[in-house]
Amino acid sequence: MEHAPIETPERKAFYARIDKQNMTPLWSVINALITPEPRSACVPALWRFDEIRKAMLEAGALITAKEAERRVLILENPGMRGQSKITTSLYAGVQLVMPHEVAPAHRHSQSALRFVLDGKGAHTSVDGERTLMSPGDFVITPSMTWHDHGNDTDEPMFWLDGLDIPLIQFLDASFIERYEHEEQPIGKPVGDSRARYGANLLPIDYRGGSATSPIFNYPYDRTREALHQLSRANDCDPCHGIKMRYTNPANGDHAMPTIGTYIQLLPKAFKTSRYRSTDATVFVAMEGRGQTRVGEETLQWGPKDVFVVPSWRPIVHEALDGECVLFSFSDRPVQEKIGVWREDRGNA
Ligand code: GTQ
């Protein structure tokens, strides 16, 4: 039972007196503070890639990557406009790097992920190593690592940025530094971290210890090959289809400390069982067409569309046009670490 004490004139007068001392009664607000279930301002929403792309190209004509520092259009949750949030704890935006542009080097305490949407061969550099990016690649920029982006190809390059900006803002732990040059020096060959950490090997004395995976590009061709192989075994989870988690090879934990990252395959015509969890999740449809029912709403998606599902809202995914692949990210690692993450699989 929710308590709702009556506000008598005596009580109201008391509240007014203590208000001057920056005090307020818990019993007036407890029902809004400690709710029986998550109550979020975050709402389900979808952004179509063709619309994002059109707006981004307009932005491309209006401002350079250099002047903007990062030419990004933020995907703002319609229930939280003006806050630069796609969920309560996470930020998402689409970044465009035009041919022969550089997004200048900086570093910040926020962790970032990139999920490549369109274009092939532009690069990002992280702490002295460069990686070339292709559609479907999942690339990490760990907290406080120097990073700059560049595009030496003749095509515009688009990717989705996911950052823990709202979480770091909430913790009041934001720092940024700009590098003295546009680009950082590159001291390692392309593929160095993949060879060191991404080949089922680790350097002999490597003990891990850093919060983020030492692999910074999880290329789509390898990820897709794993999903393909697993789809042949056809042992789908009723709630997820085939869903895998990107990991830190040094300790098996999530690849990033604050953002869980996932890839899932829905076989042709597969429909998931009703599922909900406390981590609001951002999805990118990488391949195929389908729909996701979120409570009463249905989001129809196709390749490169981005959509968001709030915490604890029941969802059902359905593949409508052949096999589908969804990339997703959420704050699940944080919730797991503090012991509050929950899921409800129905009876599945
Ligand atoms: O590429 O470093 O979308 O610093 C927002 C902040 C991207 C980036 C964003 C950033 C970046």
Side-chain angles (χ1 to χ4, degrees):
M1 271 297 285
E2 287 195 1
H3 300 263
I6 306 154
E7 305 288 29
T8 62
E10 291 80 2
R11 288 175 181 175
K12 280 193 193 160
F14 169 66
Y15 303 158
R17 289 198 302 280
I18 64 169
D19 182 66
K20 295 187 182 65
Q21 292 129 45
N22 302 308
M23 292 191 280
T24 196
L26 171 63
W27 58 88
S28 303
V29 293
I30 191 164
N31 294 332
L33 291 180
I34 304 181
T35 58
E37 290 196 349
R39 253 179 232 170
S40 183
C42 180
V43 297
L46 178 140
W47 293 262
R48 287 188 198 295
F49 185 68
D50 56 357
E51 289 176 18
I52 295 173
R53 186 188 160 91
K54 186 166 172 289
M56 294 292 317
L57 289 172
E58 286 181 44
L62 287 171
I63 192 164
T64 62
K66 185 177 176 175
E67 193 192 348
E69 188 162 350
R70 295 293 184 265
R71 189 200 291 105
V72 174
L73 294 179
I74 301 172
L75 306 184
E76 279 199 327
N77 192 284
M80 300 183 287
R81 291 306 311 273
Q83 299 181 50
S84 304
K85 297 175 176 182
I86 191 160
T87 70
T88 305
S89 60
L90 296 173
Y91 157 105
V94 177
Q95 180 155 179
L96 167 63
V97 185
M98 291 296 278
H100 313 297
E101 275 192 326
V102 171
H106 68 197
R107 61 176 184 173
H108 40 68
S109 45
Q110 292 79 359
S111 296
L113 67 84
R114 330 281 170 194
F115 186 77
V116 181
L117 298 173
D118 202 41
K120 183 176 164 58
H123 59 266
T124 189
S125 303
V126 173
D127 270 357
E129 183 177 341
R130 189 168 270 195
T131 190
L132 299 174
M133 296 186 281
S134 294
D137 289 1
F138 158 55
V139 176
I140 304 178
T141 309
S143 172
M144 287 322 277
T145 55
W146 292 108
H147 55 285
D148 47 86
H149 317 302
N151 184 353
D152 299 329
T153 78
D154 294 320
E155 279 181 314
M157 183 86 181
F158 300 84
W159 65 74
L160 181 74
D161 285 322
L163 286 90
D164 53 10
I165 290 173
L167 180 67
I168 299 301
Q169 183 177 47
F170 173 75
L171 297 171
D172 279 336
S174 176
F175 295 92
I176 184 167
E177 294 166 36
R178 272 103 191 164
Y179 196 66
E180 56 193 314
H181 305 289
E182 270 201 355
E183 295 180 287
Q184 64 184 298
I186 300 302
K188 299 170 195 165
V190 169
D192 191 86
S193 73
R194 188 169 303 162
R196 256 175 234 278
Y197 309 107
N200 298 322
L201 301 168
L202 290 173
I204 181 158
D205 288 322
Y206 183 75
R207 287 288 171 270
S210 62
T212 305
S213 168
I215 299 175
F216 81 112
N217 188 345
Y218 293 73
Y220 190 60
D221 53 1
R222 289 211 202 169
T223 303
R224 189 65 183 86
E225 175 55 30
L227 290 177
H228 173 68
Q229 183 64 30
L230 292 169
S231 71
R232 290 168 33 158
N234 210 25
D235 59 343
C236 282
D237 180 299
C239 295
H240 300 301
I242 295 163
K243 188 167 185 177
M244 307 293 281
R245 167 169 81 79
Y246 290 90
T247 66
N248 178 340
N251 57 18
D253 204 346
H254 294 279
M256 303 173 71
T258 51
I259 310 180
T261 48
Y262 308 90
I263 195 85
Q264 88 194 85
L265 182 143
L266 307 173
K268 183 174 156 70
F270 191 82
K271 187 176 179 182
T272 61
S273 292
R274 212 174 108 105
Y275 175 85
R276 59 183 175 169
S277 60
T278 50
D279 52 324
T281 302
V282 179
F283 289 89
V284 184
M286 181 58 203
E287 291 180 33
R289 293 191 173 275
Q291 63 185 25
T292 299
R293 211 178 69 222
V294 190
E296 304 299 293
E297 271 182 72
T298 300
L299 305 172
Q300 303 263 355
W301 40 261
K304 302 172 194 176
D305 293 346
V306 180
F307 61 97
V308 58
V309 173
S311 165
W312 211 236
R313 232 49 91 70
I315 61 172
V316 173
H317 298 300
E318 192 174 356
L320 293 178
D321 177 20
E323 231 172 32
C324 295
V325 179
L326 297 172
F327 171 81
S328 57
F329 65 94
S330 76
D331 62 10
R332 180 167 164 176
V334 178
Q335 295 200 33
E336 287 176 347
K337 277 173 193 112
I338 61 175
V340 299
W341 184 79
R342 274 201 208 194
E343 66 179 346
D344 171 9
R345 295 177 54 90
N347 296 317

